[in-house]
Amino acid sequence: MLASVKQSRAFSGKTRDFGNKIYRVPAATRLRDGVATHAMFSASSSSEPARKESPQRQQHSPASWVERWLPTAARPYAMLARLDRPDAIWLYAWPCFWSIAIAAKKGELPDMKMLALFGLGSVVLRGVVCTVNDILDRDIDKKVERTKSRPLAAGALTPAQGFNFLVSQVLLWLGFLLQLNSRSFIVGASWLALFFSYPLMKRLTNWPQAFLGFSLGYGVFLGSAAVKESLDYAVLLPMNFAVICWAVLYDTIYAHQDRKDDIKAGVRSTAIMFGDNTKYWLSGFGSACISSLALTGYNAHLAWPYYPFLAAAAAQLAWQVSTVDLSDKSDCNRKFVSNKWFGAFVFGGILFAKINGQGREIRFQMEWRIYFYPQPINTN
């Protein structure tokens, strides 16, 4: 057992201490992510000295807060829950935040306590999903370059330890649901079944990204149920479909990081299925996402500020699709992480539309009439 943690952080690699072993992580493959973290690190005995790098190179790959602040024994659990890579938490939170905001009364801010509660719940839920994914995929992860570093795949944790950690996370999620109403508890508990099934989809279908989107989109129903007893399906169904299309877009970009390794490992994905036509498919899903969000705003009678924000969100998606280099893992990861801003644009539009609730609502009405202003006929 090492008395202190030796870490070498450099552009070409760094080490991570998981208790009894030091794992060297090549920084070129150590990317920030969310739904599934991919990096590679090779195990070496604790007696092997870590390679020293120059301070100039070390500053390019700073250690995460997990490595800086948490005790050695806690690090593999935090990394299993992806707490060292928090960006993708937003992808779980935004659909819930959208529906909470859209359920607010006109002229009023959304329930801030509910937003904070769902923010914490998103951290827990994302940890549950990552843990389930790593338990079921630990053998596949060993075959994929960027996933060899995951605690279960690398042997830093045993499957039994991972399962016990999963149980504790599920209990935390149920504790979160107990803070909501009874309808939300039922919706939130059933939500787990979708995420527990998600890791299996890459073995069964070429559309695991769509199933992920369907699972994430379920959050719009939970967020609305937590605020209102009734669900407005005319608003929530288009929003749910928008989340599905959005998830297919960003997770396909994400999956291109592992495309070659996934083919070898027999893993299915839209990145493999779309192939050279990926950008055409992404353009279609992006257009469907924005159209569904526009329909959401129309059905919810949102005021005019919603639409400029939606246009900004559309521009963000267009930027992603047009500029992403699908052969560059780092660029794919940057575009994936940038989706937190897309969610922020949509949320901002709903927020300002609700605050401006006293303004004129945008409504499009198409009705055929022979006479627009019929006048009564004077027969006298």
Side-chain angles (χ1 to χ4, degrees):
M1 182 69 66
L2 290 178
S4 61
V5 179
K6 294 184 179 181
Q7 292 181 340
S8 172
R9 299 186 296 274
F11 181 78
S12 61
K14 79 172 189 176
T15 61
R16 288 181 180 175
D17 184 2
F18 276 150
N20 58 353
K21 291 184 179 181
I22 292 179
Y23 294 85
R24 179 166 290 122
V25 187
T29 59
R30 183 164 36 78
L31 305 174
R32 294 172 60 84
D33 76 358
V35 177
T37 302
H38 298 298
M40 180 193 72
F41 54 122
S42 55
S44 62
S45 66
S46 59
S47 61
E48 179 183 346
R51 184 176 59 181
K52 295 182 180 180
E53 302 289 349
S54 65
Q56 182 178 3
R57 297 186 75 185
Q58 288 181 9
Q59 66 183 359
H60 291 289
S61 56
S64 70
W65 72 271
V66 169
E67 294 168 282
R68 292 196 305 267
W69 301 107
L70 289 188
T72 300
R75 291 175 190 171
Y77 294 100
M79 292 177 180
L80 183 60
R82 310 294 195 270
L83 295 181
D84 57 326
R85 292 166 169 80
D87 293 300
I89 293 173
W90 290 107
L91 304 181
Y92 290 79
W94 282 131
C96 301
F97 287 178
W98 295 350
S99 60
I100 291 173
I102 213 166
K105 296 181 180 179
K106 288 183 173 62
E108 297 182 4
L109 290 171
D111 189 330
M112 303 306 292
K113 179 181 178 181
M114 194 65 67
L115 289 175
L117 186 61
F118 269 80
L120 293 175
S122 297
V123 176
V124 175
L125 181 62
R126 191 265 189 126
V128 170
V129 176
C130 292
T131 302
V132 171
N133 184 79
D134 284 12
I135 290 174
L136 296 178
D137 284 356
R138 61 187 183 275
D139 292 331
I140 294 177
D141 289 343
K142 296 176 183 178
K143 303 176 184 178
V144 179
E145 187 73 8
R146 292 190 307 117
T147 60
K148 291 180 179 179
S149 66
R150 293 179 176 178
L152 288 171
L157 291 176
T158 66
Q161 289 173 317
F163 179 78
N164 292 335
F165 182 58
L166 174 62
V167 171
S168 66
Q169 290 175 294
V170 171
L171 291 176
L172 284 176
W173 175 252
L174 295 178
F176 157 73
L177 294 178
L178 288 174
Q179 308 304 310
L180 310 178
N181 54 44
S182 57
R183 186 188 186 97
S184 300
F185 185 90
I186 297 173
V187 174
S190 61
W191 197 10
L192 282 181
L194 294 176
F195 282 120
F196 275 46
S197 304
Y198 164 65
L200 302 176
M201 293 301 110
K202 66 187 69 174
R203 299 168 173 84
L204 303 176
T205 176
N206 292 326
W207 293 89
Q209 282 69 29
F211 190 86
L212 174 64
F214 179 76
S215 302
L216 291 170
Y218 210 68
V220 305
F221 301 108
L222 179 59
S224 183
V227 178
K228 302 192 303 183
E229 286 296 330
S230 59
L231 298 178
D232 188 350
Y233 291 104
V235 173
L236 297 179
L237 286 178
M239 184 183 290
N240 174 266
F241 184 71
V243 174
I244 295 174
C245 295
W246 179 35
V248 171
L249 187 152
Y250 66 65
D251 205 50
T252 299
I253 292 176
Y254 177 84
H256 266 273
Q257 297 176 92
D258 296 325
R259 188 172 181 271
K260 293 181 179 179
D261 289 329
D262 284 347
I263 293 174
K264 295 177 182 178
V267 175
R268 301 182 183 183
S269 73
T270 49
I272 296 173
M273 184 176 65
F274 295 164
D276 295 335
N277 295 319
T278 291
K279 287 199 173 185
Y280 295 105
W281 281 92
L282 297 185
S283 299
F285 279 105
S287 299
C289 173
I290 297 301
S291 299
S292 297
L293 288 173
L295 180 60
T296 298
Y298 167 68
N299 289 345
H301 307 303
L302 292 180
W304 68 267
Y306 174 73
Y307 297 94
F309 276 89
L310 185 60
Q316 204 277 340
L317 286 188
W319 166 77
Q320 285 189 60
V321 175
S322 62
T323 63
V324 64
D325 182 354
L326 296 174
S327 62
D328 185 340
K329 295 181 179 181
S330 296
D331 191 50
C332 287
N333 186 73
R334 283 192 294 269
K335 297 302 190 297
F336 169 78
V337 170
S338 74
N339 280 277
K340 60 187 177 184
W341 299 114
F342 173 84
F345 282 131
V346 177
F347 179 77
I350 298 173
L351 184 65
F352 280 94
K354 286 294 182 177
I355 294 175
N356 194 53
Q358 302 302 321
R360 176 178 293 182
E361 298 175 353
I362 296 181
R363 297 182 181 180
F364 301 98
Q365 298 180 353
M366 298 182 63
E367 183 178 359
W368 293 97
R369 293 183 181 178
I370 299 177
Y371 300 103
F372 291 97
Y373 302 100
Q375 299 293 329
I377 300 176
N378 188 353
T379 57
N380 294 330

